[in-house]
Structures are given as C-alpha cells and as structure tokens.
Amino acid sequence: MAFFEFKNIRVAGVACAVPKNVVRTESFKPLFGDEEVEKFMAMTGVRESRRTLEHQTAGDLCFRAAEELLQAKQVNREDIGAVVFASHSPDYRRPSTAFVLQYRLGIPKEAVCYDIGLGCSSLVVGLQTVASMMSCGDIKKALLFVGDTAGKSVYPTDRSSVMLFGEAGAVVLLEKTEDDKGEISSLIRSDGSGFKYMIIPGGGYRNLHAGEEVVMCQDGNERTLMNSFIQGTSVFTFTIFDVPKLIKDFWSRSGTTVDDYDCYAFHQANLYILRQIAKKTKIPMEKLPITLDRYGNTSGASAILSLCDRYASGKEGRDIKVFACGFGIGISLGVTIFEINTDDILPVFEDDSIYEEGLITNPNQLYGK
Amino acid sequence: MEKLLEILKGIRPDVDFENEKALIDDGVLDSFDVVSIISELNDEYDIQVKVTELEPENFNSVEAIMQMVKRLKGV
C-alpha cells in the first residue's frame, strides 16, 4: 500500500489559467447529429470547453497561473527550491518543461526541476512527489504544475474525445512549516495492465516515426497512430470499481470519514462517472464542485480548476479540508488530502499568450542568443 | 430475468429487450448504455464486470447479460 503522511508541508496557494477560446459542444451537431450530441452532453455534462491556440501550451497556461500566484502571495522567487511539471503535454519532447518554466519565472539555479509523465492523476501524485522531496530535503517552497492540452492530440472527428476535453494549466505552491500544522496525506495506486486503455501509440521511441495514415477504428472513429485512443468502456469499468474502493480505503487508512472534508476536488472525468463515484461512496454532490459544464475534462488541472471556480469568489477567508482524487491514464489513481485557506485560492484566469522565445520553427533559431 | 429487464428498460425505454438479439452488433446500444448497464448490475447484483467481460456477445441480448450475471455471481 503506497500511503504517505507529511506533517510539516502545507499547500500555501493555488491558481489556474484557461485559454480564451470557447468551443460549444452544440457546435458539433452538424458533424455528429443532434441526438448523439444531446446524449453526450447529458451523460458527460460537457456543454463547452476551452481550447488553446496552435502554438499555445499547457506550460504557457501554467506560467500565467504561477505569475499570478507568486504575485498574490508575494513570494520571493529565490526561495523556490523545486519546480515540477506533471503532465502529458510538454512543450517539447525534450527537455522537461519544468526547466522552461524555471527560466521564464526566474527561479534560481539552486532549484531542482523535472517533469512527471502523468495525466488525470498528476495533481495527487505530483503533490505526493513534491511533499516527499520537501520532507527529506531543505527546500522551503516548491511549485507543482499540472495541466494538459489533450484536445491537440484528438483526431478532429473522433466522437469519443473531441467533445470531451478542455485545456487548462494550474499551479500549487507548497511550503514547509515550522510546526506540525501542515498536513498532507496520499494514497496512490497504479494498474499498468490498462496502459492501452488511454494511449497515443506513435511518436514515442517504440514507434518514433509512426505514419499519419488515417485508419477507421473498430469503434467507428477515424484516427492515426499519432492521435489519442480512449477505450471508454474499459476506462469506465476500472473507474467505477477501483476509485470508490480507493476512496474508502483512504478513509479507513487515515481514520477519517466522508464528513471530515469540506470539499471533494475530483478530477472532472465526466459527470456520469462523478455521480456514480459519489453514489457508491456516499459523498454529497454539493461537496463535489463541477466544472465539466464550462471547461470540459481538463485532465490533471481539473481538480484545481474546480477549487478556483468554487472558492475564489468568497470574501471571507476560511480554512477548508480538501480531498483531491485523480484517476486516469496509466492506469493511475490516487487521493491526496490537504488544507488550504480560501484566500489562497485565486480565480480562474483567461490567457492566450504564447511564449515566443520557445517557438522554434527553424533549427537555426537555436544558434541565436 | 424480470428484474434485469426492468433495469434495462430503465436505461433505454425505447428498446425491445425481449426480442432484440444483437443489441451491440446492430448498434442498438452505445457505449454510454453499456456503462450504465454495468453500473446498475453492480448496484443490483453486487457484481463487478471486469474489462475482460466487455465483449459484445455478453451484451447482445438480455439472455446473454443474464448469463454473464450468473457467471460473475458464481451461480
């Protein structure tokens, strides 16, 4: 059992950014028909989502979120000792996007930087990773970035995914505390037998130069090997049984109950799945914020997006106990709980900025200063 | 079988589950219907439909679904 407890690390702030471009799910009716789109909206809850510009990345959205958070919290950037970017949407195949963010944000060279290759579970596993690093090192402050631009890898007529995904980037500021006030706990699980359930088969080093040939797949959708594949029914089957068990096991292992948490910040997979998990765990839906309707499934950023959406407008700061749950590609699933003051939850920012220095369209650009 | 028919009609009232024998093969049920059925079967019969059971032949008819339920319950 991969259970972790950290007594001296706290979440000091969160922020999130989304692209300005709104894609309404109804706009797919001419392509897929009224009935299919209406049924999709009823099941998934996705009525609209946000999509990035061609060269805009999750890193760009994370950058905006971090700038806002560092300014709001008046953080001295010299104090940041770690930058971790947990995502399946890096700026480049290499190097890690964490280095790009370090450079753009002016984080000192003494910081440790790396990426973690995760999607929908990136927040919960990322928090566990960064808290572990901080608890056994001398890092006082760290930035965890989560976010994806999953829509970019979907074939444009793939009805299993093209209406589902939204895009967002988020940041979490973690701080070491002098006392034992901070408390983060995690329970993480993995099931590699499901690695094919959500996959982009080409472009990795097993099939680096996979062709762009369009293939009609057995589920009736066209795709290339460079597009994302989702076996929705298989994913659902794992989700509906393994996630409620994980949640109940966490309560049991930590000696807590459903009533001990103020907010269940869950990965926004789809509305039907969230309702089923809530039903099987008896989590009240009013404690489980939903952003699927306006932002779609935003992968690892979705739980933070939901926190920002629900709490940022509040005027009175109060401490809340957050039960975050992420599950998806890998298969990877986990719970991480933490406390945060609602004053430290920033509103959702909209941004279409592109990091021009990072856009390399000609190799000779790399020889410049 | 009556209970199962009630569940299925609750999910898709427009489908003739008594007579349809190719619910998946003919595209009568889609993936959203299948996941709804899996969840309802879990609630009603306390069974876990594993990924390996997600074959069309297990969902093509009410009889096939019932057979799968019995198999998973060890009846």
Side-chain angles (χ1 to χ4, degrees), chain A residues 23 33 114 184 189 238 246 287 294 364 366:
Chain A
V23 175
Y114 57 79
I184 295 174
R189 287 180 179 155
F238 118 79
L246 170 85
K287 281 190 175 184
R294 286 153 294 139
N364 282 316
L366 297 167

Side-chain angles (χ1 to χ4, degrees), chain A residues 30-193:
Chain A
L31 189 61
F32 301 133
D34 289 9
E35 190 181 342
E36 184 166 333
V37 173
E38 287 292 340
K39 187 170 184 176
F40 175 88
M41 288 194 288
M43 286 291 284
T44 65
V46 180
R47 301 207 157 260
E48 59 186 46
S49 58
R50 302 294 182 98
R51 304 292 168 89
T52 45
L53 302 170
E54 184 184 2
H55 295 297
Q56 189 183 13
T57 66
D60 291 335
L61 296 167
C62 287
F63 173 76
R64 169 67 190 274
E67 282 288 356
E68 295 287 350
L69 185 61
L70 293 173
Q71 196 168 352
K73 294 286 295 177
Q74 296 187 316
V75 174
N76 181 351
R77 297 173 197 225
E78 295 291 323
D79 293 340
I80 303 291
V83 175
V84 174
F85 179 74
S87 170
H88 274 312
S89 308
D91 285 10
Y92 311 104
R93 189 167 291 155
R94 57 194 181 208
S96 291
T97 303
F99 297 107
V100 183
L101 285 166
Q102 178 205 20
Y103 171 60
R104 295 178 69 183
L105 289 165
I107 307 294
K109 291 180 182 177
E110 286 72 22
V112 57
C113 298
Y114 57 79
D115 286 5
I116 305 175
L118 284 171
C120 306
S121 65
S122 59
L123 174 69
V124 291
V125 180
L127 283 169
Q128 175 270 323
T129 304
V130 176
S132 296
M133 190 198 310
M134 294 175 78
S135 70
C136 60
D138 63 356
I139 295 169
K140 299 276 195 306
K141 290 180 174 30
L143 293 176
L144 167 67
F145 293 96
V146 290
D148 272 298
T149 51
K152 287 183 189 289
S153 56
V154 173
Y155 193 76
T157 58
D158 181 351
R159 51 171 54 77
S160 75
S161 306
V162 74
M163 297 182 282
L164 181 65
F165 290 115
E167 300 174 344
V171 62
V172 180
L173 173 65
L174 293 101
E175 280 182 356
K176 188 173 275 184
T177 60
E178 296 300 323
D179 50 29
D180 278 355
K181 198 178 174 190
E183 186 177 334
I184 295 174
S185 301
S186 299
L187 179 62
I188 310 293
R189 287 180 179 155
S190 316
D191 182 359
S193 70

Side-chain angles (χ1 to χ4, degrees), chain A residues 39 197 237 272 276 279-280, chain B residues 30 33 36 39 42-43 49:
Chain A
K39 187 170 184 176
Y197 297 166
T237 304
Y272 184 78
Q276 291 298 311
K279 181 178 156 191
K280 290 177 191 301
Chain B
D30 62 22
D33 298 322
S36 302
S39 187
N42 173 239
D43 290 345
V49 178

Side-chain angles (χ1 to χ4, degrees), chain A residues 39-40 43-44 197 232-234 236-238 240-242 270 272 276 279-280, chain B residues 12 30-36 38-40 42-43 47-51 54:
Chain A
K39 187 170 184 176
F40 175 88
M43 286 291 284
T44 65
Y197 297 166
T233 313
S234 301
F236 173 84
T237 304
F238 118 79
I240 208 64
F241 298 115
D242 289 7
N270 75 50
Y272 184 78
Q276 291 298 311
K279 181 178 156 191
K280 290 177 191 301
Chain B
R12 284 291 301 271
D30 62 22
S31 59
F32 285 139
D33 298 322
V34 173
V35 298
S36 302
I38 291 168
S39 187
E40 291 292 328
N42 173 239
D43 290 345
I47 56 167
Q48 181 174 343
V49 178
K50 294 188 169 60
V51 173
L54 295 177

Side-chain angles (χ1 to χ4, degrees), chain B residues 3-60:
Chain B
K3 185 70 201 171
L4 179 56
L5 273 170
E6 192 181 316
I7 290 169
L8 296 174
K9 285 181 177 174
I11 294 167
R12 284 291 301 271
D14 56 318
V15 173
D16 179 10
F17 285 101
E18 284 95 337
N19 295 307
E20 287 281 359
K21 302 299 172 198
L23 291 164
I24 304 296
D25 292 344
D26 286 352
V28 179
L29 298 183
D30 62 22
S31 59
F32 285 139
D33 298 322
V34 173
V35 298
S36 302
I37 291 169
I38 291 168
S39 187
E40 291 292 328
L41 294 179
N42 173 239
D43 290 345
E44 183 61 32
Y45 299 103
D46 193 27
I47 56 167
Q48 181 174 343
V49 178
K50 294 188 169 60
V51 173
T52 50
E53 304 280 351
L54 295 177
E55 298 296 333
E57 55 263 32
N58 286 336
F59 293 90
N60 262 333

